[in-house]
């Protein structure tokens, strides 16, 4: 008996294309963003730790969405919020109980309570104090023996930004180190679930300690004046909101400014011709700082936003109502559609340095004046007092921070006074 050959199996259905995965360790943030931008105004991506969102990396679409009242930062507008896993690595950002994660009139009211403390006039008044801190830290670098090296992030950028923000909010000296380390750890979006849970617990503990200290030692600082005082409704801020707001302010005010200072220093040390033009007065500090913000924005993706309606971005791309969105703030400045002339090149003399490094619209960064003041003060003090400052290993680009949230060198090893210099 002859057996018939079994019919060939039907051709397998083509596998549904997987959406790109945002690298939790931010290994190549700019290359990744350029790849996404080339695919359209918004691209569905997998988020670190699970879940999906629409990533927006082009200037025009980002600017439009950041200002669109149909896009909310309030996680109560996210139908999928309940599905986020426990210990989700992005939870400290997406689910933080702070005014930054509110929307519309509620956000405007809460922001108005804090914003006056960051006006240009109030920030300008901080200049002498910032200058004194920069002088002290750069002075210590100037004392190093010729040929010795130091990490500029740890020796200047980090203590300067931490001192400024902690003085402002009255964080006691003994809590600054542990709090800074706890914030650094939650910024690491490559942490696994257990490590992330532990980091969030540690940060929560530090914030509770801080609030307990502030209640026991009332002082005339921003915590006392703005957060512990009764609000316009005559009531104190509820405890979870107080903890969340302090984390948002200290975290936003410290990790970001550190990266602006280290990225600008790295840019100048790797572009000696630009440093020479700066010293000759052909360009100014604000040119260097704005150009650094354009090419190396210190904040990449700050999770999350939520579509309150179907959002038609053109070209057949529609973000459905309820879907989460992440804006790639550091990517906008490198968008070739906005900067056709070598967008990735650090060129502080270029006329148009438009960027969205501080965001746009109702959530525009409250600390932008302060960050610019800190960066200008730190960098001018550094390069004026250490005219021979050089990279310790010019051949080796510094490692990057393992994060898709913040963008900057993890360390910047320099020689303040080269031997024989
Ligand atoms: C170079 C330094 C900084 C960069 C690049 C930066 C970046 C940003 C960005 C991109 C946003 C918008 C977030 C969004 O729309 O989702 C933002 C908001 C914010 N920033 Fe900054 N920031 C910096 C420094 C600071 C400093 C020094 C502070 C001060 C304490 C600060 C406080 C805030 C606050 C409170 C918000 C939330 C505002 C709101 O939601 O209404 N930032 N920042």
């Amino acid at each position: 008996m002859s057996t018939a050959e079994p019919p060939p199996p039907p051709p397998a259905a083509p596998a549904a294309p997987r959406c790109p995965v945002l690298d939790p360790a931010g290994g190549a943030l700019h290359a990744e963003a350029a790849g996404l931008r080339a695919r359209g105004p918004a691209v569905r991506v997998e988020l670190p730790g699970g879940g999906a969102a629409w990533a927006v990396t082009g200037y025009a679409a980002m600017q439009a969405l950041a200002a669109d009242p149909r896009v909310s930062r309030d996680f109560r507008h996210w139908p999928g919020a309940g599905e986020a896993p426990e210990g989700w690595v992005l939870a400290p950002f997406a689910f933080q109980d702070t005014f930054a994660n509110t929307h519309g009139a509620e956000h405007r009211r809460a922001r108005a309570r804090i914003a006056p403390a960051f006006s240009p006039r109030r920030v300008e008044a901080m200049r002498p104090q910032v200058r004194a801190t920069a002088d002290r830290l750069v002075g210590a670098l100037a004392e190093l023996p010729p040929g010795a090296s130091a990490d500029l992030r740890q020796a200047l950028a980090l203590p300067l930004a931490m001192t400024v923000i902690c003085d402002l909010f009255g964080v006691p000296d003994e809590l600054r180190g542990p709090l800074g380390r706890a914030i650094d750890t939650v910024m690491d979006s490559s942490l696994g679930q257990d490590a992330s849970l532990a980091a969030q617990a540690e940060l929560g503990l530090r914030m509770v300690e801080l609030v307990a200290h502030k209640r026991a030692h009332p002082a005339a600082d921003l915590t006392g004046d703005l957060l512990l005082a009764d609000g316009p409704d005559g009531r104190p801020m509820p405890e979870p909101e107080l903890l969340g707001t302090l984390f948002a302010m200290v975290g936003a005010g410290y990790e970001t400014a550190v990266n602006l200072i280290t990225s600008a220093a790295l840019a100048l040390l790797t572009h000696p011709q630009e440093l020479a033009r700066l010293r000759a007065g052909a360009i100014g500090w604000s040119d260097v700082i704005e150009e650094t913000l354009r090419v190396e924005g210190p904040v990449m993706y700050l999770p999350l936003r939520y579509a309150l309606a179907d959002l038609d971005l053109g070209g057949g791309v529609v973000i459905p109502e309820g879907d989460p969105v992440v804006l790639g703030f550091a990517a906008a400045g490198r968008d070739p559609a906005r900067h056709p002339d070598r967008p990735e090149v650090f060129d502080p003399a270029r006329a148009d340095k438009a960027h969205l490094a501080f965001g746009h619209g109702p959530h525009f960064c409250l600390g932008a004046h302060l960050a610019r003041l800190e960066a200008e003060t730190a960098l001018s003090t550094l390069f004026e007092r250490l005219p021979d400052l050089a990279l310790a290993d010019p051949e080796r680009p510094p490692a990057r921070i393992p994060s898709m949230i913040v963008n900057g060198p993890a360390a910047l090893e320099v020689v303040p006074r080269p031997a024989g210099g």
Side-chain angles (χ1 to χ4, degrees):
M1 207 172 77
S2 69
T3 50
E5 286 282 312
R18 281 192 71 204
C19 63
V21 182
L22 281 187
D23 179 1
L29 280 175
H30 290 304
E32 181 183 72
L36 294 173
R37 201 190 293 117
R39 294 168 71 142
V43 179
R44 232 174 117 73
V45 293
E46 259 180 56
L47 294 171
W54 292 85
V56 178
T57 45
Y59 194 103
M62 204 180 310
Q63 195 175 33
L65 290 176
D68 192 326
R70 298 169 304 160
V71 180
S72 166
R73 282 213 43 172
D74 189 334
F75 55 88
R76 290 168 296 181
H77 290 143
W78 183 19
E83 288 152 34
E86 202 197 347
W88 185 38
V89 72
L90 302 183
F93 307 93
F95 297 149
Q96 197 63 246
D97 190 350
T98 152
F99 77 98
N101 281 342
T102 58
H103 182 60
E106 184 184 356
H107 171 251
R108 281 193 293 279
R109 263 196 312 276
R111 183 176 159 114
R113 182 171 171 182
I114 295 175
F118 294 94
S119 69
R121 195 176 52 81
R122 294 282 285 271
V123 167
E124 192 48 43
M126 298 180 210
R127 190 181 285 274
Q129 205 181 337
V130 179
R131 165 70 65 187
T133 307
D135 270 337
R136 175 172 58 78
L137 296 166
V138 175
L141 288 171
E143 300 276 296
L144 289 176
S149 71
D151 173 6
L152 213 54
R153 184 177 167 89
Q154 293 293 334
L156 174 63
L158 201 143
L160 181 104
M162 198 63 178
T163 303
V164 171
I165 199 74
C166 288
D167 283 354
L168 214 52
F169 284 91
V171 179
D173 284 347
E174 64 276 14
L175 250 183
R176 294 181 180 196
L179 188 60
R181 283 190 290 279
I183 292 173
D184 280 348
T185 314
V186 294
M187 293 288 175
D188 182 346
S189 42
S190 68
L191 293 181
Q193 200 166 344
D194 289 347
S196 174
L197 261 180
Q200 290 171 37
E202 168 74 12
L203 179 66
L205 202 69
R206 297 300 171 199
M207 298 309 301
V208 169
E209 274 175 33
L210 172 59
V211 171
H213 176 95
K214 298 306 296 174
R215 288 200 196 285
H217 305 88
D221 49 39
L222 289 192
T223 311
D225 292 353
L226 293 176
L227 306 182
L228 292 174
D230 288 347
D233 56 0
R235 276 180 293 183
M237 200 179 259
E239 194 80 2
E241 191 186 339
L242 177 62
L243 294 172
T245 302
L246 269 172
F247 163 61
M249 299 302 303
V250 179
Y254 138 78
E255 189 77 36
T256 51
V258 174
N259 291 320
L260 176 55
I261 295 167
T262 24
S263 291
L266 175 61
L268 285 175
L269 292 171
T270 48
H271 295 79
Q273 71 287 9
E274 302 304 338
L275 185 54
R277 289 163 89 179
L278 178 73
R279 289 191 159 131
I283 53 172
W285 279 112
S286 68
D287 295 315
V288 169
I289 290 165
E290 295 312 304
E291 181 66 349
T292 306
L293 286 163
R294 188 189 69 78
V295 277
E296 284 303 350
V299 175
M300 182 50 105
Y301 302 102
L302 198 57
L304 286 169
R305 283 173 155 74
Y306 316 97
L308 299 180
D310 288 353
L311 303 169
D312 188 346
L313 303 191
V317 178
V318 177
I319 301 179
E321 178 179 347
D323 271 15
V325 178
V326 275
L327 306 184
F329 296 108
R334 290 188 179 216
D335 181 353
R338 184 67 180 77
H339 293 289
D341 182 21
R342 302 163 306 138
E344 71 295 342
V345 173
F346 174 74
D347 174 10
R350 70 170 75 224
D352 179 5
K353 296 188 262 288
H355 60 75
L356 298 178
F358 290 121
H360 180 72
H363 292 274
F364 182 81
C365 178
L366 269 183
H369 301 300
L370 179 57
R372 287 178 166 125
L373 174 84
E374 286 180 44
E376 188 190 321
T377 310
L379 293 163
S380 59
T381 310
L382 179 71
F383 283 94
E384 278 159 24
R385 288 192 58 184
L386 299 172
D388 299 318
L389 181 76
L391 288 173
D393 186 354
E395 303 305 319
R396 195 146 51 102
R400 311 295 296 179
I401 298 170
S403 178
M404 46 83 82
I405 295 166
V406 283
N407 170 43
L412 185 57
E413 211 55 32
V414 294
V415 182
R417 295 195 300 143

